[in-house]
Amino acid sequence: RDGRPVTEAATDRVLTTEAILAEETRLLAWAQTRRPSNAPSASIPTPEHLSGPQRHMAAAIAGHDELVVIVGPAGTGKTTAIAPAIDALHVQGRPVFGVAPSAVAADVLATETGVDADTLDKLLYEHRAPRPPKHRYDLPAGATLIVDEAGMVNTANLAEFAALADAK
């Protein structure tokens, strides 16, 4: 009904705009400047039930690299490994805040890890407002920001988040 041949799947065409492609290029460049230092990860106490990769992940999060990307299928223990990292960051006196693309995901992140969390939209809104952000969202320099389900974040918000991280 939409004019495509019946032999073409709905997913065969990919549509985007020049503006989105430009933002993605800027985001890739931003991430490239934050490559891991290859310094040893932080040594942090981790629960016995964590696997080796989960311990490595927790240590990386609690380390000092500017960007840590963790990728894995659902149910592999990514969120479970975040909790000891957050504990270690708090012991180090480093503030931590979590964001997610939906309120449900932010609530799950907060419940399962103990991190203060909200939606990414709310964090960005607080920094766009014509007043200073509410205290909860006014993160100091050096704060660790955890973006859960980052693959679900739209490109414009991710670019705005990267610019906010640089500004802070």
Side-chain angles (χ1 to χ4, degrees), residues 93-146:
R94 295 167 57 192
V96 187
F97 192 77
V99 294
S102 71
V104 171
D107 186 53
V108 169
L109 179 64
T111 301
E112 292 186 9
T113 67
V115 71
D116 188 16
D118 207 333
T119 65
L120 177 58
D121 283 322
K122 178 61 175 174
L123 177 70
L124 296 175
Y125 169 81
E126 284 292 326
H127 286 272
R128 282 186 217 123
R131 56 160 171 73
K134 292 179 182 172
H135 179 72
R136 177 181 186 206
Y137 304 97
D138 192 17
L139 305 169
T144 297
L145 300 171
I146 296 172

Side-chain angles (χ1 to χ4, degrees), residues 3-15:
R4 284 177 299 175
V6 294
T7 58
E8 182 180 306
T11 57
D12 284 349
R13 295 184 191 184
V14 179
L15 304 175

Side-chain angles (χ1 to χ4, degrees), residues 34-46 50-71 78 80-89 92 94 96 142-146:
R34 284 148 183 85
R35 287 183 180 225
S37 65
N38 293 324
S41 296
S43 177
I44 64 170
T46 54
L50 292 185
S51 67
Q54 287 174 313
R55 290 171 192 261
H56 179 73
M57 182 185 345
I61 293 167
H64 292 281
D65 286 333
E66 290 184 30
L67 179 65
V68 175
V69 178
I70 297 166
V71 179
K78 296 178 302 294
T80 301
I82 292 172
I86 291 168
D87 292 342
L89 288 163
Q92 297 170 32
R94 295 167 57 192
V96 187
T144 297
L145 300 171
I146 296 172

